[in-house]
Amino acid sequence: MAGPVLPDRLVPGLRVVFCGTAPGLVSASRGHYYAGPGNRFWSLLYEAGFVPEPLTPGDDDRVAEYGIGLTDLVKTMAQSHDKGLPYDAEGLEAKVTVHRPAWIAFTSKEAGKAAARYLGERPPGLGVQNWTFAGARVVVLPSPSGRNQGRASYDGRASRLEWWAEAARLIG
């Protein structure tokens, strides 16, 4: 089996682990999480209040300083869409079991759906879920991808930031 496209940024006892589907092609080529030109992950992290200062993809090795971890459901390939990805929810479950974060935040409905399917749960909407993943509370956030902008509504909210800010308040 090939090694990970991007290394996990996980340590024990994190406040939250952000989990995407798979690294995008630009992220893989640059060697950093959420590095695509239209991806708003890093700005949403700051604007929502998860971190006290603006960060960039080059800071992904520092996120543990803020109680944050990063991983993906697919570690062995990069792809800039979610079609046909070989999700490894079992592998994610093992990581969450070992590192024991308080929360896991899926950074798209697709990632949340893959986790829910693995657990036998119904497909989730955005927001806090009534189920846990390996003991961590679960929140599903709208994707920060540039492909997911300009919509009229994000499950009844005007912007992605509203969901991200609510999650930041809950997670602390």
Side-chain angles (χ1 to χ4, degrees):
M1 183 164 138
V5 172
L6 294 175
D8 287 329
R9 302 297 187 188
L10 300 173
V11 297
L14 297 167
R15 289 185 300 141
V16 60
V17 169
F18 289 92
C19 180
T21 53
L25 297 174
V26 173
S27 292
S29 70
R30 293 182 178 167
H32 295 287
Y33 282 87
Y34 303 101
N39 199 299
R40 293 214 43 234
F41 176 84
W42 298 100
S43 61
L44 285 166
L45 210 59
Y46 173 67
E47 292 167 19
F50 282 104
V51 295
E53 63 178 313
L55 300 175
T56 69
D59 294 315
D60 61 0
D61 62 344
R62 294 182 46 222
V63 294
E65 296 171 22
Y66 302 100
I68 293 170
L70 301 171
T71 192
D72 290 297
L73 280 163
V74 176
K75 297 302 296 178
T76 58
M77 65 184 283
Q79 186 167 293
S80 291
H81 59 79
D82 296 331
K83 304 277 189 263
L85 287 169
Y87 297 129
D88 183 12
E90 185 175 350
L92 176 64
E93 182 179 46
K95 293 174 203 179
V96 172
T97 298
V98 167
H99 292 96
R100 311 300 278 158
W103 288 82
I104 185 160
F106 292 103
T107 60
S108 70
K109 276 188 182 178
E110 181 61 29
K113 276 195 255 184
R117 190 169 39 248
Y118 172 74
L119 296 173
E121 297 286 344
R122 297 176 54 96
L126 296 175
V128 175
Q129 303 303 304
N130 64 1
W131 43 273
T132 61
F133 191 89
R137 294 194 63 194
V138 175
V139 63
V140 177
L141 298 170
S143 171
S145 169
R147 292 192 177 111
N148 187 39
Q149 62 188 0
R151 294 175 40 184
S153 169
Y154 294 90
D155 282 10
R157 305 227 177 144
S159 72
R160 293 181 283 193
L161 181 56
E162 290 180 40
W163 287 108
W164 284 69
E166 178 181 289
R169 284 191 301 275
L170 289 169
I171 292 167

